[in-house]
Amino acid sequence: MNLSEYRITTGKNFKLSEYRTDYTADFDKKRAKKLLKKNKKKMFELQNLLYAHDRYSILIIFQAMDAAGKDSAIKHVMSGLNPQGTQVFSFKQPSKEELDHDYLWRTNKALPERGRIGIFNRSYYEEVLVVKLHNLIKYQKIPAELITGDIWEKRYKHIRDFEKYAYENGMVIIKFFLHLSKDEQKKRFLERLNNPAKNWKFSAADLKEREYWDEYQKCYEDAIKNTSAKHAPWYVVPADKKWFTRLVISEVIVNTLKNLKMEYPELSHEELEKIDYYKKQLEND
Ligand code: ATP
Ligand code: MG
């Protein structure tokens, strides 16, 4: 699979409208499912190595419009990982305590440790998406004189600086934008309304946000444009076909892990010598 079709490493010339939501790169569902299964096995092995090597941590961010399949993508990724080395955090509207701090405070608390994989279901990117779109910044208790006209530019910079800092300390950041069409969202909302087993997933608030579709696309485009980097790439993943979304995500994760310089720790000469000693001790037990 050619991942460079989805990977954005520089915002220069980035246009979201150039990315298709229904692209499947000549895959069919059957072949995709088979490959996904293989990738999950590889992911599991690579995660073991990540844990043993204990130097890198992996941060996987999921951002998307409602019903783009964030939850089910996370479920699938998780099912290919060892739960002991993985954490998922969902970022909702900030609590009162969170609003008493800078906006990266809750992020810092949730970052994965070395050897582990952290998954963010939404993230600090909401700060330049929903917060920008609805101008929620006025509820954030930031001193008025600091809310200047270039506040969003500043936030992009905070995010770029934070991601660079994290990278230079051994964190590997993967950012997924699940790119859904407005039509497909409508279909999925209707499915939630028509299928009693899915009724609970429907939220009137989601319908309200749908009215801002074009504004959201613009916010996503600006966010991706301003925060894509080689060390923290965005992946714009077609999201109209869930089976394809999952395949691309699994490929990206396997590929990223594979490209890290990792090895199982080697035992020292003394430790190797001791192994014989311990073996003998157990045999004579
Ligand atoms: P799902 O609906 O699939 O369970 P979700 O991520 O949509 O998952 P919700 O509880 O429905 O979860 O929504 C969380 C809401 O919190 C989203 O509308 C999101 O935009 C909002 N949110 C997240 N971070 C912030 C933030 N920093 N400031 C304001 N709103 C935020
Ligand atoms: Mg929701």
Side-chain angles (χ1 to χ4, degrees), residues 63-67 70-71 90-94 98-99 103 106 121-127 129-131 136 140 155 192 200-201 203 205-206 209 216:
Q63 287 288 161
M65 297 296 287
D66 291 301
K70 266 189 298 117
D71 291 8
S90 295
F91 291 92
K92 314 265 178 189
Q93 282 158 9
E98 286 165 354
L99 287 176
Y103 68 90
R106 64 176 183 170
N121 182 353
R122 302 188 188 270
S123 65
Y124 46 87
Y125 277 99
E126 293 290 324
E127 296 291 338
L129 297 166
V130 69
V131 177
L136 302 177
Q140 292 199 342
R155 286 206 159 176
R192 289 178 181 184
W200 65 273
K201 277 196 192 173
S203 133
D206 293 355
E209 290 313 288
Y216 266 115

Side-chain angles (χ1 to χ4, degrees), residues 76-229:
H76 271 265
V77 173
M78 286 295 292
S79 70
L81 297 171
N82 178 352
Q84 296 238 55
T86 322
Q87 299 153 317
V88 184
F89 283 92
S90 295
F91 291 92
K92 314 265 178 189
Q93 282 158 9
S95 67
K96 199 173 163 296
E97 187 191 19
E98 286 165 354
L99 287 176
D100 274 333
H101 297 268
D102 62 282
Y103 68 90
L104 285 177
W105 182 72
R106 64 176 183 170
T107 297
N108 281 314
K109 287 201 306 180
L111 292 176
E113 302 157 67
R114 291 187 204 282
R116 302 194 187 233
I117 298 178
I119 296 175
F120 281 6
N121 182 353
R122 302 188 188 270
S123 65
Y124 46 87
Y125 277 99
E126 293 290 324
E127 296 291 338
V128 289
L129 297 166
V130 69
V131 177
K132 181 179 176 206
L133 200 147
H134 291 300
N135 200 22
L136 302 177
I137 203 140
K138 53 180 183 276
Y139 304 114
Q140 292 199 342
K141 297 178 76 177
I142 296 170
E145 72 274 17
L146 295 179
I147 305 181
T148 47
D150 58 350
I151 182 94
W152 310 113
E153 296 302 324
K154 279 188 195 149
R155 286 206 159 176
Y156 296 136
K157 183 176 181 298
H158 300 157
I159 291 175
R160 285 196 301 267
D161 289 349
F162 160 70
E163 290 181 346
K164 189 84 198 292
Y165 168 82
Y167 162 74
E168 287 174 351
N169 282 280
M171 192 176 296
V172 177
I173 305 177
I174 307 171
K175 305 180 289 197
F176 290 114
F177 171 56
L178 310 191
H179 189 27
L180 185 74
S181 69
K182 199 175 178 191
D183 268 354
E184 184 60 28
Q185 188 194 50
K186 180 175 169 178
K187 271 191 210 149
R188 291 185 191 173
F189 280 173
L190 280 172
E191 166 71 6
R192 289 178 181 184
L193 289 167
N194 288 327
N195 181 348
K198 289 192 176 174
N199 279 172
W200 65 273
K201 277 196 192 173
F202 182 79
S203 133
D206 293 355
L207 210 52
K208 188 91 202 117
E209 290 313 288
R210 179 178 163 79
E211 292 175 21
Y212 298 96
W213 185 273
D214 292 343
E215 287 93 327
Y216 266 115
Q217 300 296 303
K218 179 80 176 76
C219 285
Y220 270 108
E221 181 174 270
D222 288 344
I224 294 169
K225 217 175 158 56
N226 281 286
T227 60
S228 288

Side-chain angles (χ1 to χ4, degrees), residues 6-7 20 29 31 33 36 42 61 75 81 83 90 103 112 118 144 157 159 171 178 191 207 226 250 258 281:
Y6 317 100
R7 189 191 293 123
R20 271 172 60 188
K29 196 169 175 176
R31 199 169 134 231
K33 278 193 161 172
L36 175 64
K42 283 190 209 161
I61 292 178
K75 216 167 13 181
L81 297 171
S90 295
Y103 68 90
K157 183 176 181 298
I159 291 175
M171 192 176 296
L178 310 191
E191 166 71 6
L207 210 52
N226 281 286
S250 70
K258 252 194 196 160
Q281 201 178 5

